Amino acid sequence: MLDIASLVRVHVVLRVHADALIAAQNDMGVCDAIRQKALVGKPEAMSAPHLPKVAGIDPTVPVSTHTAGSLSEAPSATGAFIQDRLAGWVSDLTTLHELTERLAGTGTLDDALHELLDAGAALVGARRGLVVFEPSDRRGPVSTIGLGLAHAELGQIETVPRTATSYGRILEGLPDAEDALTTPDLPGDPGLDPRRREVAARLGYAASYAVPITAGATGRLGAAVWLYDEPAEPLERQRHLVGLYAGYAGEHLARLLELERARADVATITEELLPSRLPRIPGVQLAARHRRAARGGGDWYDALALPEGALGLAVGSVNGSGPGALAAMGRLRSGLRAYAVMEGEDPVAVLSDLELLLRLTEPARTATALFAYCEPAERKILLAGAGHAPPLVISDRRTEFVETSVSAPLGMLACWEAPSVQITPEPGETVLFYTDGLLRRTGDSTDRAFARLHSAAASVPKAMRHDAGAVADHVLHTVLPDGPDRSGSARDRNDGSEDVVVLAARFD
């Protein structure tokens, strides 16, 4: 009787160069196919029913059968077969590891869905496809992303009745669509919906393979479909690989979905805590710009009409980020509005009351604030700040920071000693208020950040200076040319927790 275990053990010991074979198999893997983005001509091999090597898989390797041959031939044939199988398994594991590492490096839903489509297409040997992200709890977000399909082509696919498509049956939770769905021959399928056959012929695909995207905590998240140019279907081994990959992708997408929804909730709360519109006061033009941090910072602004045609302007920043900072910001802004109505003509008194409020409600938190009492008819501004950056006056003749008195932030004052400062803007001048997030997001030192801001303000084109909104936009985009949501460089290290607020007041 043939002792297969002994023969295999002896064969593996003798094959001391097995690593070289495994390395050669890996060189033929799916990851190399993904890296080769350029396609030359029609990829017939990717659409053929019998595919070439994928992830080190050679479909032509014969299945082991019992043979009546001599025992002297058995060790070599059996050992070579097992060696090939081991090399294939190692290649599969390597491929999955590399693909999941690339997927784990994505930080947004769109990036993850694109990566899912690319990797899945290489795993099943397809050239085109689409993924429909539609969480089963109906809370959104919903999106459709294509691979090798233009926007108009995706629109044509969406004209097919939903239950007639493989991804539609998965998303609708039909009983026959709990697992992957294969349509190996669209033109030759007699039961195919006529509209689906028409769209497939128009777009030039003849087969499809769809898999559900699910996660344990959230359930069904969407479905991915890959399209073949010719009648075809993936091999059993390819199906297994893409199934494992889709399982990991579902869990990763569920985590990104949770983050996306949390950010949306923070954005909604932040916008609700800030003014929905700015007051219209004769003699002054107002514009505000707010750029929210990813985790939700505590920067805020306010503008309110006061008795006798006066105007109250305020900007401030609460240290920290997240829901706690947002709650503290809301309390401070509400308190400042009340104090401004009662004693707005005395900015020092307003900030003194705000200091007391912060000590009582947020004893472990600090904040900066600047309040300005404006009389537009006389172009007179009386302002006071608590640890806040000075405003900037912008005009054709000058660009300079207002010299304000030095004061510690709110929550750190033993007693209030800093007096208020009065300025009188000239007609056509714009006073720019901003939070320290604008300076910190530059990633520069304080001196360099102030110099960058001054240079940006001085470079406002003359044609824009009559519009407060245009001035604010120019300064913001010049100081932060790539926008406040940049990531990946040293100068953007604070983007995750730093809001940016710019409030511009142009006097006639």
Side-chain angles (χ1 to χ4, degrees):
M1 182 175 181
L2 182 62
D3 187 353
I4 298 297
S6 300
L7 292 173
V8 171
R9 183 165 57 252
V10 172
H11 181 72
V12 171
V13 171
L14 293 177
R15 294 293 295 273
V16 295
H17 297 295
D19 289 342
L21 177 58
I22 294 175
Q25 292 281 356
N26 288 339
D27 290 339
M28 304 290 289
V30 174
C31 292
D32 288 336
I34 295 177
R35 296 189 187 100
Q36 296 173 1
K37 294 293 185 180
L39 295 177
V40 180
K42 185 175 181 180
E44 298 178 359
M46 299 180 72
S47 298
H50 301 288
L51 306 174
K53 287 186 178 180
V54 176
I57 307 169
D58 189 350
T60 63
V61 175
V63 179
S64 177
T65 57
H66 293 289
T67 178
S70 63
L71 289 179
S72 60
E73 298 177 356
S76 177
T78 305
F81 171 75
I82 293 179
Q83 186 67 44
D84 287 341
R85 292 294 300 271
L86 289 175
W89 292 337
V90 172
S91 179
D92 290 348
L93 292 175
T94 303
T95 296
L96 286 176
H97 174 73
E98 292 185 11
L99 293 178
T100 53
E101 283 291 311
R102 290 174 54 171
L103 182 64
T106 58
T108 66
L109 281 174
D110 279 353
D111 289 344
L113 292 174
H114 279 104
E115 182 63 33
L116 166 64
L117 270 180
D118 289 341
L123 286 173
V124 301
R127 186 170 64 92
R128 294 180 289 175
L130 69 151
V131 58
V132 180
F133 189 78
E134 188 177 297
S136 57
D137 59 8
R138 307 297 182 184
R139 292 175 52 199
V142 176
S143 64
T144 300
I145 294 176
L147 171 67
L149 295 170
H151 184 72
E153 294 173 322
L154 289 175
Q156 292 186 47
I157 294 176
E158 290 177 347
T159 63
V160 180
R162 193 176 179 89
T163 55
T165 64
S166 52
Y167 73 85
R169 296 203 298 272
I170 291 174
L171 295 176
E172 294 297 328
L174 298 182
D176 65 337
E178 296 180 357
D179 298 321
L181 294 178
T182 304
T183 310
D185 188 1
L186 286 168
D189 189 343
L192 198 68
D193 181 87
R195 178 59 182 168
R196 186 182 179 188
R197 180 182 290 106
E198 177 187 351
V199 170
R202 183 179 302 171
L203 299 184
Y205 64 88
S208 68
Y209 181 69
V211 297
I213 308 298
T214 61
T218 58
R220 187 179 64 256
L221 295 174
V225 186
W226 291 279
L227 308 174
Y228 296 89
D229 295 341
E230 303 291 341
E233 61 181 306
L235 303 175
E236 183 63 29
R237 195 168 184 179
Q238 292 173 306
R239 297 184 189 186
H240 180 65
L241 285 174
V242 79
L244 293 175
Y245 181 79
Y248 176 83
E251 298 299 330
H252 182 65
L253 288 170
R255 292 189 290 270
L256 293 178
L257 175 63
E258 183 179 358
L259 289 175
E260 189 80 12
R261 287 176 172 175
R263 290 169 180 169
D265 291 341
V266 168
T268 301
I269 294 172
T270 302
E271 295 305 317
E272 290 296 327
L273 291 174
L274 294 175
S276 58
R277 61 180 180 177
L278 298 174
R280 294 185 177 182
I281 305 295
V284 64
Q285 180 187 137
L286 301 175
R289 301 291 184 264
H290 176 230
R291 301 298 180 87
R292 181 182 54 85
R295 296 194 295 270
D299 288 16
W300 55 276
Y301 68 93
D302 206 351
L304 64 156
L306 297 176
E308 301 179 358
L311 174 68
L313 300 176
V315 290
S317 176
V318 177
N319 72 312
S321 61
L326 290 176
M329 178 263 282
R331 284 190 287 269
L332 285 183
R333 176 176 171 267
S334 299
L336 184 138
R337 291 178 69 91
Y339 302 144
V341 171
M342 293 186 296
E343 47 194 7
E345 67 279 0
D346 186 357
V348 171
V350 172
L351 293 184
S352 297
D353 293 340
L354 203 62
E355 159 78 10
L356 179 60
L357 176 65
L358 184 65
R359 284 181 177 271
L360 293 176
T361 60
E362 302 283 342
R365 195 181 293 276
T366 61
T368 66
L370 186 147
F371 177 73
Y373 179 80
C374 306
E375 297 180 72
E378 301 179 9
R379 295 193 309 277
K380 184 174 69 174
I381 300 177
L382 191 64
L383 60 89
H388 205 81
L392 186 61
V393 179
I394 305 171
S395 68
D396 294 338
R397 293 179 298 175
R398 62 170 177 165
T399 300
E400 59 186 28
F401 291 101
V402 177
E403 294 186 6
T404 57
S405 54
V406 179
S407 172
L410 299 175
M412 300 178 63
L413 297 171
C415 61
W416 193 277
E417 297 179 353
S420 59
V421 175
Q422 180 176 318
I423 60 174
T424 305
E426 297 295 329
E429 289 189 333
T430 299
V431 181
L432 193 73
F433 304 89
Y434 53 92
T435 59
D436 53 4
L438 180 62
L439 303 174
R440 292 180 180 176
R441 280 203 180 185
T442 64
D444 296 329
S445 64
T446 302
D447 291 342
R448 289 176 60 87
F450 274 114
R452 180 192 292 262
L453 174 58
H454 185 277
S455 176
S459 68
V460 176
K462 188 174 181 179
M464 293 184 177
R465 293 180 186 268
H466 68 280
D467 185 352
V471 172
D473 289 334
H474 177 86
V475 170
L476 183 60
H477 293 303
T478 304
V479 175
L480 304 176
D482 298 327
D485 295 326
R486 298 168 297 159
S487 60
S489 64
R491 62 182 294 183
D492 303 323
R493 57 184 177 273
N494 292 316
D495 280 7
S497 61
E498 292 291 340
D499 280 5
V500 173
V501 163
V502 174
L503 177 63
R506 183 186 185 276
F507 290 85
D508 297 334

